[in-house]
């Protein structure tokens, strides 16, 4: 079982009063070759009237003769930004170079923007239906496959998201377990799914799907001390239901609130664990 790198709180600089220190896999190192990133402008047929940016990050070790794993990140640039809180491309380069995960192409997908200029993020990410997973499986991943060799093995297809992107990642995998089987969900906004969080009941009453799930919750997440729409409580209910249903899952509970610092610190260990 993978042992987490110790996470050392730093002096507070956010409202929740805690920060965690990043490990070596989250910073560029001279011994790690950098991958290449391709930026695309995308107009969706699944979500008509929307456009978005997509970035495809390919580690230096990629060999077209050997199909790669694929990992789709929601909130694309926020998760890719090398100066941001998550630094997904740097992490992929580090882990692939060390042999900690298979060669993995990262696909960083921004939420859609309507032609009128309004963001479509919550409509896409919070809906409990198959539509967003279909959008990825039928539009985005085929474009990646047109350019690069990608494995057909669903155990090598993963999906990552935080906040609303976290429940989006779970929902895409839930409706498409034949495509996405490795899931990382951070500070998921199950509390704001229209109609309420469906997963505790579904997990107890539905035969297990072949998913491996890494989740993170913050003990001071949104409405952490309120009796309803409590982000912390809904993440804990989700994890408890996974345990009761016998899923291969891991939950990490952090000291912070609804911010991506702990997400970024955890990402290397989350990916090692998912692709072990």
């Amino acid at each position: 079982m993978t042992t987490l790198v110790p996470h050392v709180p730093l002096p507070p600089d956010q409202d929740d009063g805690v920060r965690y220190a990043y490990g070596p896999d989250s910073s560029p190192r001279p011994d790690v070759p950098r991958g290449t990133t391709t930026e695309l402008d995308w107009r969706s047929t699944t979500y008509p009237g929307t456009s978005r940016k997509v970035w495809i990050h390919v580690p230096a070790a990629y060999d077209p003769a050997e199909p790669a794993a694929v990992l789709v990140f929601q909130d694309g640039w926020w998760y890719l930004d090398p100066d941001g809180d998550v630094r997904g491309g740097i992490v992929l380069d580090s882990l692939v170079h060390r042999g900690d995960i298979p060669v993995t192409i990262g696909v960083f997908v921004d939420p859609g923007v309507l032609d009128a200029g309004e963001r479509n993020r919550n409509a896409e990410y919070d809906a409990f239906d198959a539509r967003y997973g279909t959008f990825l499986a039928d539009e985005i991943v085929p474009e990646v496959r047109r350019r690069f060799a990608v494995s057909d093995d669903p155990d090598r297809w993963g999906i990552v998201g935080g906040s609303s992107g976290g429940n989006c990642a779970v929902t895409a995998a839930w409706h498409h377990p034949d495509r996405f089987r490795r899931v990382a969900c951070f500070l998921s906004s199950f509390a704001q799914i229209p109609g309420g969080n469906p997963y505790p009941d579904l997990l107890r009453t539905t035969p297990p799907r072949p998913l491996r799930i890494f989740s993170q919750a913050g003990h001071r997440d949104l409405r952490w001390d309120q009796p309803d729409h409590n982000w912390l409580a809904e993440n804990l209910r989700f994890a408890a239901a996974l345990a009761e249903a016998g899923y291969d899952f891991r939950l990490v509970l952090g000291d912070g609130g609804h911010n991506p610092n702990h997400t970024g610190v955890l990402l290397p260990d989350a990916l090692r664990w998912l692709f072990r």
Side-chain angles (χ1 to χ4, degrees):
M1 181 175 179
T2 302
T3 300
L4 282 176
V5 175
H7 302 138
V8 183
L10 297 175
D13 66 354
Q14 295 195 20
D15 289 343
D16 56 53
V18 66
R19 295 268 301 174
Y20 288 91
Y22 290 89
D25 294 317
S26 298
S27 298
R29 300 203 306 266
D31 62 317
V32 176
R34 295 186 180 183
T36 59
T37 303
T38 302
E39 179 181 309
L40 307 176
D41 292 304
W42 196 265
R43 288 194 63 84
S44 174
T45 56
T46 307
Y47 295 99
T50 66
S51 59
R52 71 196 72 220
K53 295 281 190 182
V54 178
W55 294 265
I56 305 172
H57 183 82
V58 182
Y62 167 74
D63 179 349
E66 299 181 11
V70 65
L71 191 62
V72 181
F73 294 78
Q74 307 344 293
D75 290 306
W77 179 249
W78 193 31
Y79 274 62
L80 177 62
D81 184 357
D83 298 316
D85 287 290
V86 183
R87 312 171 191 176
I90 292 173
V91 170
L92 288 177
D93 287 344
S94 296
L95 298 188
V96 168
H97 178 69
R98 290 164 57 101
D100 290 348
I101 64 172
V103 174
T104 301
I105 294 173
V107 184
F108 296 81
V109 183
D110 265 356
V113 177
L114 295 166
D115 290 342
E118 299 170 351
R119 297 183 72 200
N120 204 43
R121 182 176 184 270
N122 291 106
E124 294 175 6
Y125 287 4
D126 290 333
F128 179 69
D129 59 39
R131 193 177 184 192
Y132 189 81
T134 299
F135 157 69
L136 294 179
D138 291 356
E139 293 189 45
I140 301 301
V141 176
E143 178 63 20
V144 178
R145 303 189 81 162
R146 189 178 71 80
R147 297 163 179 262
F148 305 100
V150 171
S151 173
D152 291 324
D153 183 356
D155 288 336
R156 299 184 69 193
W157 284 40
I159 186 165
V160 179
S163 190
S164 289
N167 38 275
C168 171
V170 174
T171 297
W174 181 264
H175 287 287
H176 298 272
D178 57 326
R179 309 299 291 275
F180 301 101
R181 292 188 179 173
R182 302 292 179 258
V183 183
C185 53
F186 301 97
L187 301 169
S188 298
S189 297
F190 298 120
Q192 67 180 25
I193 293 176
N197 180 4
Y199 287 106
D201 287 339
L202 279 173
L203 287 163
R204 294 186 186 102
T205 59
T206 306
R209 284 158 162 72
L211 307 178
R212 179 178 294 163
I213 300 174
F214 184 103
S215 65
Q216 175 237 347
H219 92 291
R220 296 284 176 135
D221 204 344
L222 300 174
R223 297 180 60 84
W224 66 274
D225 58 352
Q226 298 299 309
D228 56 12
H229 293 89
N230 183 318
W231 267 244
L232 169 61
E234 295 302 338
N235 276 278
L236 296 180
R237 291 185 181 111
F238 172 67
L242 288 172
E244 293 168 9
Y247 274 79
D248 185 7
F249 86 102
R250 187 172 187 182
L251 168 68
V252 175
L253 181 62
D255 290 329
H258 200 75
N259 76 75
N261 163 245
H262 199 200
T263 296
V265 171
L266 288 171
L267 183 64
D269 285 310
L271 298 186
R272 289 187 186 98
W273 183 82
L274 285 173
F275 286 106
R276 71 189 191 279

